[in-house]
Amino acid sequence: MSLVQERVASRDNPLYRLLEPETLADPYPLLAKWRESGPIETEDGSLIISDYATCMAILRDHAAMGNDTLASPAMRKVFPEATEEPVLNSIFFLDDPAHGRQRRLVTKAFTPRITARYEPWITGIVAELFAKFIADGEFDGVEDLATALSLGVIAKLLDIPAEDIPLLRAWSSDMALSTELPTLVASFHNAEVFTRDELIRLTQTSTTVHTYFADLIFKRRKNLGEDLISSLIRTEHEGRKLSRREITNTVATVFIAAHESTTNLITNGLLALSRHPGQLELLRQDPSLAIDCVDESLRYDCPILLIGRVALEGKRVNGIDIDKDTIVTLVIGSGNRDEREFPQADEFRIQRRSKSMGLAFGVGAHYCLGNSLAKLEAQIVFRTVAERLREFHVHEDSLSYRRHVVVRGLDTQRITFTA
């Protein structure tokens, strides 16, 4: 038993169950029980919401349900000056008006036109990766494919030197864990889910990453190009531009958000296709189903399991009374398995047609700006798997899940096939 598991073994908050190894590997039986039981009020006054309708209603209510979990009492104990910590400086945890202003500016630099121009390049790098896989006869879905692709695309998007990609790789896991800090500490009402060494390491890594990007932005100002950083430097709204600090925070956020969402989407989707060979055969017969496969992968095995919200005012939502300042944990991975919205929700079906919007990338003002890029990368990968690999198999005994809870994903995933 790990130090973290020992610390949480006797805790009453149901969220601690998510840290158990068997739950990390398959949280859905537990989430189904939570969903059936209705809203769960913890002893410390938080709410755990697991059904689709209530998750959606809270995500849409930006006026009453804030995103700033940094302001929770538990977070203030860990980081008394939270807004000064680089690990926490992110649009993820902003509310209006600051969130709206930054998002409007960032959106102008993250248009579909900018995303679309990367498709030929993504297709090219996927082709190169698969040529190597075919020569080797097997690959690791996490390290060799998803991580290599997502970091390569991020480097292209931000015009990061190729020799610096190993640095991004080294920082990525700590940065992913750092984004979980506000949600987990607020939801658990303490920082015991992190060891002291982890908190120190996450802060140090975050400072290093922000310093790296600040230096990159300083140099880019002298030689603007067509990359996202240059676009962020140029863009303005109503005569106002992003500050140097805002650009640094935005670029760091793009780095980790784009990497994590893409990596987990791809690896979760590959696992689902291996476990459901009939669905993979459908994709082989009709490669145009690749985009539907992406959407179903996002619903079936969501790369983001939890989202935190804070009640800015007392509110009745979907029949539930929520007091002001209540920490609300939205288990969106459960909402995406809600039978009331998605019939036969525990089945992976790439031809699923649903009127309900999935929750994986959030909703409304906090809808993930990079969703189109992540989906494009996964679409190209799934189509390539269907077209080029036969006897595709993910080895179940190779699967190892990271201890992350908010951002759920694999550490290792051995894949074999015949070409």
Side-chain angles (χ1 to χ4, degrees), residues 85-88 174-175 178 201-211:
E85 289 291 340
V87 67
L88 306 174
D174 279 349
M175 287 299 290
S178 74
R201 191 182 74 244
L202 298 184
T203 302
Q204 291 173 338
T205 301
S206 159
T207 300
T208 300
V209 169
H210 278 72
T211 300

Side-chain angles (χ1 to χ4, degrees), residues 221-289:
R221 286 183 183 277
K222 299 178 180 180
N223 186 23
L224 295 177
E226 297 302 317
D227 57 281
L228 179 61
I229 293 176
S230 297
S231 297
L232 290 171
I233 292 170
R234 290 191 187 100
T235 193
E236 62 178 67
H237 178 72
E238 296 178 351
R240 295 185 63 186
K241 292 187 174 185
L242 289 167
S243 68
R244 180 176 60 183
R245 181 175 179 176
E246 287 173 330
I247 295 174
T248 302
N249 294 339
T250 298
V251 171
T253 299
V254 166
F255 156 50
I256 193 56
H259 174 56
E260 284 299 312
S261 59
T262 302
T263 300
N264 295 334
L265 165 56
I266 289 173
T267 53
N268 290 352
L270 292 177
L271 180 57
L273 287 170
S274 177
R275 288 174 171 173
H276 301 84
Q279 299 300 301
L280 179 55
E281 187 57 36
L282 286 175
L283 184 58
R284 288 194 177 110
Q285 294 171 7
D286 183 3
S288 70
L289 288 172

